[in-house]
Amino acid sequence: MPSPAVLAELQLGELPLSLVWSLFGLSILATLAAGFVAPLVGSFLLTRRTGFLGIVLPQFAAAGVAFGYLVLPFWTEHLGHLLDPVAHGDEAHLALGYHLLWAGLFTALGLALVALSSRRRDGTDTGMMAAAFAIASALTVLFAHGSPVGDIYVHGLLRGEILAIDEHELEILTGTLALVALGVVLGARHLTRVGIDPDSARVLGDRPLLWELFLALLVGATVSVSVMTVGPIVLFGLLVIPPLVARAFARSMTSFLVLASLLGGLSAAGGVWTSFTFDWPLGPSVVVAAALLLIPALPRLFGRGR
Amino acid sequence: MAGSSLIEARAVDLGYGREVVLRGLDLVVERGDFVGILGPNGAGKTTLFRGLLGLVEPLGGRIERGDTRLGYVPQESTFDAAWPVSALEVVALGDRRQGLFGRRARREKALEQLARVGLTERARQRFTSLSGGQRQRVLIARALMAEPDALFLDEPTSGVDLPSQERILRAVTELNADGGPAVLLVAHQLELVARAAQRFLWVAEGRASEVTADDLPGLFHPTPRAAGGEVSHA
């Protein structure tokens, strides 16, 4: 093993593979898990013409994480007995439950805003989403600015730096994403039926509102758990781009979901490789890898008929 | 509800919020019926349909459906094209059974329904790549997946060419004639509906009235006398 002084001089790509794996192995696994699962949820956002949520909700979740840091002193003093925000055994990181609480709350706030805005189809809905994204972005920076402890963490989160996570966080992330994937597999038929033609779904006995809530739950869980382990930028890319590419080639809903998931996994793997090879931040690397997949799809996306 | 009745509507008012679109609807649909629903645009045909299907709650009166299984064929243009579904998948979505299990049986049943509308060879094709007439037939096959007692078709021949109109109507007529579901069909093409339906409902000016085939030409092209109320409202 090289000495710390030598390590400090090395580019990430020059580090021994075993060292990279021991330092970032869990984060890489987290990114790959998000890569395979986030596009499944993103596929339903895209087909429901709400692909912009793939950008807005992660930003809300990031604002929630930053807000958690802002209120940390207050929380520790008054509410610490309810949920200890400090991770035991590693005081440099906050406990995952604390992050999850705020990310989840802010994601739910974003989803509620979407539900309210979607009643208006005169442009108010998309306008509100654009405004919400701008506000959530600004608040993320301001919340973090108000918390010296959180500023570095949130800055790294927003830049898409690879984030060190522990085994417990990986378990939570993969466990949640596994449940989300199971939810998509079990609910795909009904989510599709309700999304394509709500009236016919009602005639067949479906309750569209319940399925809307189910989808919101899947989206909320994916976003709030993923955002503080892989960061919002990775989510931006994974929720939106792989489904967009997959839809251009898919001839059925099944092939669409499978292809979107595979392309998401490929984007995550490509992003990890690029990040370590060129010493780029992981988040943008994953998005760039996903964007490269867009190129072969462009003729179909802009062409007439499919 | 009488034994052979599938749907009974008594003194039903239908509308949205407080606005009544259709007043005093009386209608009994029985097994084997083929009801053509006609009327000018915006007269309330769709509201009537939605009320009978249970998609709109009556503002007054009552609608009884008992255990009647309903099949619904919307206008193909209302089907959201953003979904990359195959024709076979669209049909399979019409199955009432829940859950993952029985996928193979569902697929085979969906193929059978596609065969009934003459589209077996299009099963794997993307729904949006089909012609308007083919899409409409796929939606009919989807409705048949639910093994309906009453089949509701909302302007299935609109926007499709004449041969496709004929094909769609022939398919529906054959279904109805073979001891299949009762059919309620909204359409604009008087000649087509007059040939297929046995009963006719004329929807205009907030009322739905049962009329005969002989009344229809006068209603579609009213002379001052016919327009003045030759046909009594139910």
Side-chain angles (χ1 to χ4, degrees):
Chain A
M1 164 99 50
S3 70
V6 172
L7 283 176
E9 293 297 317
L10 289 174
Q11 292 270 310
L12 200 53
E14 296 167 330
L15 293 176
L17 202 58
S18 59
L19 183 61
V20 168
W21 184 254
S22 67
L23 287 173
F24 302 113
L26 299 181
S27 301
I28 291 169
L29 289 176
T31 305
L32 290 175
F36 282 107
V37 177
L40 290 175
V41 173
S43 298
F44 284 96
L45 295 181
L46 179 71
T47 45
R48 296 171 62 86
R49 301 168 196 266
T50 52
F52 52 82
L53 287 181
I55 305 293
V56 176
L57 291 179
Q59 194 59 54
F60 265 85
V65 173
F67 186 76
Y69 276 105
L70 182 69
V71 298
L72 184 60
F74 174 84
W75 186 282
T76 308
E77 190 176 338
H78 300 287
L79 297 167
H81 59 285
L82 294 176
L83 175 64
D84 187 358
V86 179
H88 296 289
D90 182 3
E91 300 213 350
H93 298 288
L94 295 185
L96 185 65
Y98 185 74
H99 279 317
L100 262 179
L101 172 74
W102 291 111
L105 274 177
F106 273 64
T107 304
L109 183 70
L111 282 167
L113 194 67
V114 171
L116 284 174
S117 308
S118 63
R119 294 177 185 178
R120 298 285 297 269
R121 295 283 181 186
D122 57 356
T124 306
D125 49 349
T126 47
M128 276 296 288
M129 284 303 98
F133 177 74
I135 293 166
S137 303
L139 287 178
T140 307
V141 174
L142 289 174
F143 290 153
H145 183 66
S147 161
V149 183
D151 203 16
I152 298 167
Y153 178 85
V154 173
H155 185 67
L157 195 75
L158 293 179
R159 263 177 54 86
E161 302 284 6
I162 190 161
L163 303 166
I165 63 169
D166 60 27
E167 281 182 22
H168 175 60
E169 287 174 318
L170 182 65
E171 281 169 14
I172 296 282
L173 176 77
T174 51
T176 305
L177 292 180
L179 285 176
V180 168
L182 185 67
V184 170
V185 170
L186 292 176
R189 209 168 88 79
H190 293 278
L191 289 170
T192 304
R193 189 153 81 185
V194 165
I196 286 180
D197 181 2
D199 282 349
S200 295
R202 283 175 64 192
V203 171
L204 287 166
D206 278 338
R207 298 173 72 179
L209 184 62
L210 283 184
W211 288 105
E212 303 271 347
L213 288 172
F214 180 67
L215 180 61
L217 186 69
L218 295 181
V219 173
T222 305
V223 169
S224 51
V225 170
S226 303
V227 86
M228 69 273 187
T229 42
V230 298
I233 294 182
V234 172
L235 269 182
F236 290 168
L238 293 177
L239 284 170
V240 178
I241 301 175
L244 193 61
V245 177
R247 191 173 63 171
F249 294 100
R251 283 176 29 174
S252 69
M253 195 63 195
T254 307
S255 63
F256 171 48
L257 291 173
V258 170
L259 191 57
S261 177
L262 290 177
L263 291 174
L266 191 63
S267 304
V272 167
W273 181 83
T274 310
S275 172
F276 284 99
T277 304
F278 301 109
D279 200 12
W280 288 359
L282 180 63
S285 302
V286 172
V287 177
V288 166
L292 289 176
L293 298 173
L294 262 176
I295 295 170
L298 287 177
R300 282 173 174 261
L301 288 171
F302 295 123
R304 284 170 61 84
R306 273 176 278 165
Chain B
M1 206 158 69
S4 61
S5 298
L6 297 172
I7 302 167
E8 285 188 17
R10 299 289 181 204
V12 171
D13 293 339
L14 291 167
Y16 305 93
R18 290 181 180 176
E19 186 194 352
V20 178
V21 176
L22 206 63
R23 286 185 190 282
L25 170 70
D26 283 305
L27 179 69
V28 176
V29 179
E30 302 195 330
R31 291 184 193 283
D33 275 350
F34 194 134
V35 184
I37 301 170
L38 300 136
N41 282 332
K45 299 189 295 294
T46 300
T47 305
L48 172 107
F49 239 44
R50 293 177 65 79
L52 295 176
L53 282 164
L55 297 171
V56 173
E57 285 299 314
L59 300 174
R62 68 172 203 282
I63 300 175
E64 289 185 25
R65 297 177 202 88
D67 296 327
T68 303
R69 282 176 302 196
L70 307 177
Y72 177 41
V73 183
Q75 294 180 40
E76 58 93 9
S77 58
T78 63
F79 195 93
D80 194 337
W83 298 74
V85 280
S86 67
L88 185 65
E89 283 178 328
V90 171
V91 177
L93 287 175
D95 195 351
R96 285 179 190 277
R97 281 174 296 185
Q98 309 278 326
L100 270 181
F101 302 105
R103 284 186 71 172
R104 183 186 291 262
R106 184 182 296 135
R107 188 175 173 280
E108 282 170 12
K109 190 176 168 190
L111 279 169
E112 281 172 26
Q113 305 312 323
L114 272 177
R116 287 174 82 176
V117 296
L119 285 174
T120 308
E121 75 282 4
R122 305 283 183 192
R124 297 194 179 283
Q125 207 164 320
R126 199 155 149 173
F127 180 75
T128 48
S129 72
L130 301 174
S131 70
Q134 288 169 337
R135 285 202 286 261
Q136 202 66 63
R137 280 149 66 198
V138 169
L139 294 181
I140 291 172
R142 182 184 64 160
L144 294 176
M145 277 293 279
E147 297 171 7
D149 301 309
L151 186 61
F152 289 68
L153 299 106
D154 191 0
E155 300 189 23
T157 52
S158 97
V160 299
D161 57 31
L162 204 58
S164 296
Q165 289 180 12
E166 294 282 355
R167 209 172 292 132
I168 288 167
L169 209 66
R170 193 168 56 241
V172 174
T173 309
E174 284 171 6
L175 286 171
N176 176 251
D178 292 347
V183 171
L184 291 94
L185 182 144
V186 169
H188 284 299
Q189 295 90 338
L190 170 62
E191 296 75 16
L192 283 175
V193 178
R195 243 188 301 143
Q198 306 137 2
R199 296 171 60 193
F200 303 94
L201 210 58
W202 176 254
V203 184
E205 297 169 8
R207 295 275 178 180
S209 324
E210 188 136 5
V211 297
T212 67
D214 294 337
D215 296 323
L216 290 172
L219 290 163
F220 260 80
H221 310 287
T223 60
R225 203 166 77 87
E230 189 73 6
V231 178
S232 63
H233 289 143

